[in-house]
Amino acid sequence: IANPQPAALSEVQQLLGPAEALLAYLVDTKASYLWVVRPDAAEMHKIEISSGELADKVTELRRALDPTNVRGLDDIRNFDVALAHELYTLIFAPAEPLLEDVTHIMAVTDGPLQSLPLSILVTEQPKGALLNYEDYREVSWLAKSYALTTLPSVSSLRALRLFAKDSETADPFAGFGDPVLDGAAGGTRGITLASLFSRGPVAAVDEVRKLTPLPDTAGELREIADSLGADASSIHLREDATETRVKSLDLSATAVIAFATHGLLAGDLKGVAEPALVLTPPEQGTERDDGLLTASEVAQLKLGAEWVILSACNTAAPDGTPGAEGLSGLAKAFLYAGGRALLVSHWPVVSAAATEITTRLFEETAGTDTPGRAEALRRSMLALMATPDKPYYAHPLFWAPFVV
């Protein structure tokens, strides 16, 4: 991440398994390009869509995936399945002839595509209108066809498979969540508050404390700990879920680290314009602990984690600087700190759905014959989509925010 070097095509091919493919996108002002790489073949396709046109389509698709003003089921917008199919035809279908027998796709996206999980593309046009939530279960989502992993760059595949040390982890788990917050009850993890930073680089802890409490994150972390065989001391909740606690622990030998809390987007914040995870604020904020674990603080941690779970909102988002690339905020900071793989989100997650996905994900990987991380996430999303007593979970607002 600090000094990426280009990877030769032949080198990338040697790093791919027989059921894997790499898709790399370049989005330009007049047209876009797609490279498709298999162990024994490679193609390049010109896509007749400009960055501006692509941005318009992605923005339109994401309108139905923002729960910010959703107060009930009637507030959820219909997802534009026809547009998702159109976008699939443009940016993904050209790769299909080379994807025979592929089950796992690693994608390096670019431009507007960095803010859209490929799982919500639609491979076949629905035969009729979607009249209720159950109809979303029958949609031919790309998630039904492939396990999908996002890479920050092509060269990161080399780092992941050649340079990354085998994890030497003695502790199975460390989880942080359910921070002490006094705001009104709510259902999503995520908020943007310019008032959080009112004076220099230290957050206004009184404003942090006004955020919505997230009591169900405690159960989420306990279920993950149970799946991993970790004891109760590995879970840090309420008064113990602080910046001070995170920074004081030796996390270099911890296999799985999870944060289940609010995620703050970077934006026009006074003093510190970077994304952050919300933890329990102290009585008085200091530079070491103001209740917000920022990306720059994350980058100074020393991790050896096989997996970092960011069960918050917008943790795959850019860092807020003009023209910033995706995964440049919290996600890249955790990779830089030593995380081997991440679970991150593309929009504010509905808390109950996030709990269902993450706990099911670890159930999938708990056995002896475990699937890969991307496949475990795919199975978790499909299971959530099929929840019998909650048909609305079939809407991609609920099942699609997370990516590996």
Side-chain angles (χ1 to χ4, degrees):
I1 294 172
N3 186 25
Q5 299 296 321
L9 175 61
S10 58
E11 182 183 9
V12 172
Q13 289 178 306
Q14 292 172 12
L15 295 173
L16 295 174
E20 292 182 326
L22 175 77
L23 270 58
Y25 290 90
L26 175 64
V27 178
D28 202 4
T29 54
K30 295 183 178 180
S32 303
Y33 302 87
L34 165 64
W35 285 263
V36 188
V37 183
R38 295 291 307 277
D40 57 352
E43 293 179 349
M44 186 187 79
H45 300 272
K46 184 178 182 181
I47 302 171
E48 298 296 342
I49 187 170
S50 68
S51 57
E53 294 169 325
L54 190 56
D56 289 343
K57 293 182 185 299
V58 169
T59 299
E60 185 59 33
L61 277 182
R62 283 192 54 126
R63 290 188 195 282
L65 303 175
D66 183 2
T68 303
N69 295 315
V70 173
R71 298 291 179 264
L73 295 181
D74 291 340
D75 298 327
I76 297 174
R77 298 182 179 94
N78 293 329
F79 184 76
D80 194 337
V81 175
L83 180 57
H85 175 65
E86 179 188 343
L87 196 56
Y88 162 82
T89 303
L90 280 168
I91 71 167
F92 196 96
E96 291 281 19
L98 212 58
L99 299 182
E100 185 177 357
D101 300 324
V102 167
T103 58
H104 179 208
I105 288 175
M106 288 171 283
V108 181
T109 54
D110 187 35
L113 291 179
Q114 293 181 319
S115 62
L116 192 77
L118 296 180
S119 58
I120 65 171
L121 298 180
V122 174
T123 61
E124 296 180 13
Q125 184 70 37
K127 295 181 174 61
L130 304 183
L131 302 178
N132 50 54
Y133 288 115
E134 287 91 340
D135 292 342
Y136 282 102
R137 294 173 181 164
E138 308 306 317
V139 173
S140 300
W141 306 108
L142 194 66
K144 293 183 177 180
S145 301
Y146 303 102
L148 298 157
T149 298
T150 298
L151 296 178
S153 65
V154 174
S155 60
S156 66
L157 177 62
R158 175 177 55 196
L160 177 67
R161 298 200 164 171
L162 290 183
F163 301 147
K165 298 176 182 178
D166 291 334
S167 288
E168 297 178 0
T169 53
D171 303 321
F173 182 62
F176 306 87
D178 191 15
V180 178
L181 303 170
D182 300 331
T188 61
R189 302 178 194 177
I191 194 163
T192 302
L193 283 183
S195 58
L196 289 180
F197 291 96
S198 58
R199 52 187 190 283
V202 179
V205 292
D206 290 340
E207 296 298 328
V208 176
R209 205 171 284 117
K210 292 177 183 178
L211 296 177
T212 302
L214 297 168
D216 54 339
T217 59
E220 177 181 353
L221 293 173
R222 290 190 183 104
E223 290 194 42
I224 294 175
D226 288 344
S227 298
L228 296 170
D231 59 41
S233 64
S234 66
I235 304 171
H236 306 276
L237 306 173
R238 306 296 290 164
E239 291 80 3
D240 196 37
T242 64
E243 271 195 274
T244 298
R245 174 62 69 189
V246 173
K247 294 174 180 178
S248 64
L249 291 173
D250 180 5
L251 298 173
S252 62
T254 303
V256 178
I257 300 171
F259 290 87
T261 182
H262 290 293
L264 298 184
L265 276 174
D268 188 19
L269 304 181
K270 297 178 182 178
V272 179
E274 57 177 325
L277 295 170
V278 174
L279 296 169
T280 297
E283 286 299 317
Q284 185 166 348
T286 65
E287 288 196 24
R288 178 172 173 79
D289 191 340
D290 59 5
L292 298 183
L293 184 66
T294 62
S296 59
E297 291 174 313
V298 168
Q300 297 176 60
L301 300 175
K302 303 298 182 186
L303 308 180
E306 298 169 6
W307 209 354
V308 177
I309 309 299
L310 301 184
S311 187
C313 83
N314 295 306
T315 46
D319 64 9
T321 57
E325 61 185 37
L327 300 182
S328 60
L330 282 168
K332 193 163 284 188
F334 274 102
L335 291 173
Y336 187 83
R340 295 279 299 277
L342 302 173
L343 184 75
V344 294
S345 66
H346 274 290
W347 54 80
V349 298
V350 177
S351 199
T355 300
E356 293 284 342
I357 286 179
T358 56
T359 53
R360 175 62 181 256
L361 187 150
F362 281 97
E363 290 172 5
E364 290 285 348
T365 56
T368 53
D369 184 22
T370 61
R373 297 182 181 95
E375 174 61 19
L377 176 61
R378 188 183 79 90
R379 295 180 187 181
S380 299
M381 293 191 299
L382 297 182
L384 186 74
M385 198 185 302
T387 304
D389 59 337
K390 295 180 179 177
Y392 50 89
Y393 274 174
H395 191 290
L397 166 69
F398 297 94
W399 61 262
F402 288 113
V403 295
V404 173

